[in-house]
Amino acid sequence: MTRSHWAWGPEPDASGLREIARLFTEATGLGEPTAWEPPALFSPALLPAPLIPVPPLPCCTDDPYERAVRTYGQAYRDLIRAYRGDFANAPDLVALPRDEDEVTQVLEWAAAQGVPVVPRGGGTSVVGGVEARFDGPSLCLDLSRMNRVLEVDVVSRAALVEAGASGPAVNDGLPDGLQLRFFPQSYEFSTVGGWIATRAGGHFATFHTHIDDLVESVRAISPAGVWESRRLPGSGAGPSPDRWLLGSEGALGVITRAWLRVHERPTHKVSVPVRFAEWPAAVAAVHDLAQSGLYPSNCRLLDAREAALTSGGDGRHAVLIVGFESADHPVDAWVSRALEIVGAHGGVAGESRQDQAWKGSFTRMPYVRNAYPGMGVLAETVETAVTWDRFPALHEAVMAAMAEEAGTATCRLAYAYPDGPAPYYTILAPAVKGAEVEQWDGLKQRVSDVVLRMGGTITHHHAVGRDHRPYYDRQRPDPFALALRAAKAALDPGGILNPGVLI
Ligand SMILES: Cc1cc2nc3c(=O)[nH]c(=O)nc-3n(C[C@H](O)[C@H](O)[C@H](O)COP(=O)(O)OP(=O)(O)OC[C@H]3O[C@@H](n4cnc5c(N)ncnc54)[C@H](O)[C@@H]3O)c2cc1C
């Protein structure tokens, strides 16, 4: 598949996009499909001339299309610039290594030349993690050709996977019956290396929420050498080397492979939608469920507006999806107890489902976003986590900050921990034509300030990148910043790895 120079997936069909725009306008009242703006056609002339010649390495190219499709991630801020044909920050070179030797060669060349390297997996970052937003030349090190499952340890239930493998590539490479139970919404294109580098969040709403929980060991190449941790089910031997690479965002080394914990494919799955007339009652139900020790695989609460937009809700009720799964035992007893808990808060259970149909709209959503630039709709998502005691005040303040942008703001609790939820906010608003990036930046600043002030984290699973960097600097302890800076200097003395993220 040839990926579009601007969209999620292949180049979308224009009439399909117009149809999405029409349905979306009907549902939200936003957008102007009659004033449809088509995307800029790709032309090599859209790209600045490369600042450096192609090195004598077979995996490197300066082909304009290869550079264009690797200019941005997938935030709305990125989407709108690519849609308009703005590739000012395109990497000068793209490297597509097939193995670790080629990764090492590229890093050695880049270190010798002092050329910054931006590691890239699926390019689905929504925080400016893969954009060379700095002066001078840059090289995009794209791991997508290193995409195999290399080994499976059926006894310990773990698999050694190359970093450039996408979600489908990992699961297609595993023996029948085993799966990596990790399904972020970007599953189709995001990669193992990207998940580890960003501490991505999967579909489990409780318990194994982050990729961290599924990582057994990691191997990375930095300018200072190869970093590989021992395969262990757990260890108390000092600070964990894996923890240094989890969330390293390409700044400390290039992750090349990892042992990941895999699971038996569940055979018992039940999912029940529960309706609530009042949001606070629904939140209280999630609180109690999160503290019950039942650890449902799904515990996703959608406010009434979000339920109406994404899951066929009636617009008046919040909807909690409660799901359990197991490869070992029927889950009915867990479901019954969970429904008792949420029923005590007024939750009314709908028909239970085996198929988890909500997943259909979850995975289609990225394609819907393709219609936003053409129809003049700006979109932004804000995700955080906060303790239960602070959640009501944070929620009120974030919704108020979002309401300053005319449009529609929604919330879902995407993850639920015993000590707090991870709320995920979406805003869709009329875009200010020609000033969308400034509009998005203003919104990001307003809401991020509120999130930090109200005790939340700047990100629960989308990572820091360049867009969250000012807020991450405020959130982390100063001595930790010193330690991180020293680690970066030791591993990457020339400072070539993804400059501008983290430190
Ligand atoms: C529609 C949509 C839905 C999304 N849903 C989710 C979701 O459900 N959960 C979630 O957590 N996130 C989600 N995201 C965000 C994004 O998919 C994640 O951050 C994902 O982990 C990025 O993986 P990637 O392979 O695309 O990495 P990229 O975007 O290519 O890179 C992200 C960062 O990781 C670094 N990096 C990538 N590969 C390597 C490597 N091999 N070695 C070192 N550094 C590397 C890059 O330098 C960059 O800093 C979503 C994004 C979109 C657009």
Side-chain angles (χ1 to χ4, degrees):
M1 178 200 52
T2 305
R3 279 180 72 171
S4 161
H5 62 285
W6 65 272
W8 182 265
E11 189 62 26
D13 160 63
S15 59
L17 279 183
R18 298 292 299 266
E19 180 57 11
I20 294 174
R22 190 186 64 74
L23 293 172
F24 186 86
T25 304
E26 259 176 38
T28 62
L30 291 168
E32 306 169 64
T34 47
W36 182 261
E37 176 189 338
L41 293 177
F42 176 75
S43 151
L46 293 173
L47 280 91
L51 296 173
I52 33 173
V54 183
L57 299 171
C59 65
C60 288
T61 177
D62 63 358
D63 176 84
Y65 193 78
E66 301 295 341
R67 292 170 59 211
V69 294
R70 292 175 181 82
T71 303
Y72 298 120
Q74 283 287 335
Y76 171 82
R77 192 185 198 284
D78 304 336
L79 197 61
I80 187 72
R81 284 179 294 165
Y83 197 80
R84 296 255 166 83
D86 170 1
F87 294 104
N89 285 343
D92 298 272
L93 299 172
V94 173
L96 290 153
R98 289 187 185 277
D99 54 36
E100 288 189 338
D101 285 348
E102 289 194 333
V103 172
T104 304
Q105 286 165 15
V106 170
L107 288 182
E108 282 174 0
W109 174 85
Q113 303 295 318
V115 172
V117 172
V118 179
R120 183 180 176 102
T124 65
S125 167
V126 282
V127 293
V130 288
E131 182 184 345
R133 216 181 282 167
F134 45 77
D135 292 336
S138 71
L139 178 147
C140 167
L141 181 54
D142 182 318
L143 279 290
S144 59
R145 284 188 179 160
M146 293 170 61
N147 56 14
R148 293 166 304 158
V149 174
L150 299 174
E151 202 180 327
V152 180
D153 172 352
V154 179
V155 174
S156 317
R157 286 224 190 110
L160 177 61
V161 185
E162 288 186 304
S166 63
V170 178
N171 280 328
D172 290 351
L174 292 175
D176 275 355
L178 286 184
Q179 265 192 336
L180 178 68
R181 301 292 297 156
F182 189 76
F183 300 101
Q185 196 173 36
S186 54
Y187 174 79
E188 188 176 354
F189 298 118
S190 57
T191 64
V192 168
W195 298 339
I196 295 173
T198 61
R199 302 187 61 194
H203 72 298
F204 283 120
T206 68
F207 206 46
H208 294 312
T209 53
H210 283 98
I211 191 69
D212 311 27
D213 303 317
L214 301 175
V215 168
E216 191 178 70
S217 99
V218 188
R219 184 173 157 98
I221 298 177
S222 74
V226 175
W227 170 316
E228 183 170 13
S229 61
R230 190 174 278 228
R231 279 190 64 201
L232 290 169
S235 170
S240 157
D242 295 342
R243 291 261 159 205
W244 275 91
L245 290 177
L246 282 157
S248 56
E249 303 199 14
L252 301 181
V254 179
I255 296 160
T256 54
R257 52 178 70 173
W259 277 96
L260 300 175
R261 301 184 177 111
V262 295
H263 293 91
E264 268 189 79
R265 198 183 280 263
T267 43
H268 305 275
K269 284 200 282 188
V270 176
S271 177
V272 185
V274 182
R275 296 194 325 165
F276 290 87
E278 303 293 339
W279 172 252
V283 171
V286 173
H287 167 272
D288 286 5
L289 196 49
Q291 293 185 347
S292 67
L294 290 170
Y295 296 115
S297 52
N298 200 350
C299 180
R300 222 150 268 214
L301 174 63
L302 317 177
D303 73 8
R305 187 85 181 121
E306 173 132 352
L309 286 178
T310 64
S311 307
D314 63 8
R316 289 179 292 112
H317 290 87
V319 177
L320 171 65
I321 318 279
V322 184
F324 288 87
E325 61 177 52
S326 169
D328 179 69
H329 47 261
V331 292
D332 309 294
W334 281 258
V335 175
S336 299
R337 177 63 194 130
L339 294 184
E340 271 174 22
I341 291 171
V342 300
H345 293 278
V348 178
E351 209 175 310
S352 75
R353 297 193 292 239
Q354 305 294 320
D355 58 356
Q356 305 202 353
W358 65 273
K359 276 191 188 157
S361 69
F362 189 66
T363 47
R364 269 194 311 275
M365 196 55 202
Y367 290 93
V368 172
R369 299 166 79 245
N370 288 343
Y372 295 161
M375 65 191 295
V377 166
L378 172 140
E380 164 59 339
T381 55
V382 173
E383 39 80 51
T384 182
V386 69
T387 48
W388 285 114
D389 60 318
R390 292 176 171 173
F391 172 65
L394 175 138
H395 178 69
E396 197 180 318
V398 169
M399 291 300 273
M402 289 186 130
E404 284 177 38
E405 204 73 45
T408 184
T410 64
C411 174
R412 67 171 180 256
L413 301 190
Y415 301 89
Y417 300 96
D419 52 345
Y424 186 105
Y425 297 92
T426 303
I427 182 153
L428 300 164
V432 179
K433 194 163 174 145
E436 291 91 345
V437 171
E438 292 75 14
Q439 186 186 2
W440 190 91
D441 287 347
L443 177 64
K444 170 69 83 187
Q445 185 184 341
R446 262 201 324 276
V447 183
S448 300
D449 279 339
V450 169
V451 164
L452 283 199
R453 184 160 44 80
M454 302 309 289
T457 172
I458 190 58
T459 175
H460 171 266
H461 58 275
H462 278 171
V464 176
R466 293 174 173 81
D467 298 332
H468 287 156
R469 175 68 198 280
Y471 312 97
Y472 176 65
D473 285 0
R474 278 160 55 187
Q475 179 175 331
R476 71 177 166 209
D478 290 339
F480 181 71
L482 284 178
L484 198 52
R485 194 165 292 120
K488 167 94 176 154
L491 294 168
D492 177 23
I496 58 165
L497 287 175
N498 214 2
V501 300
L502 288 187
I503 199 81

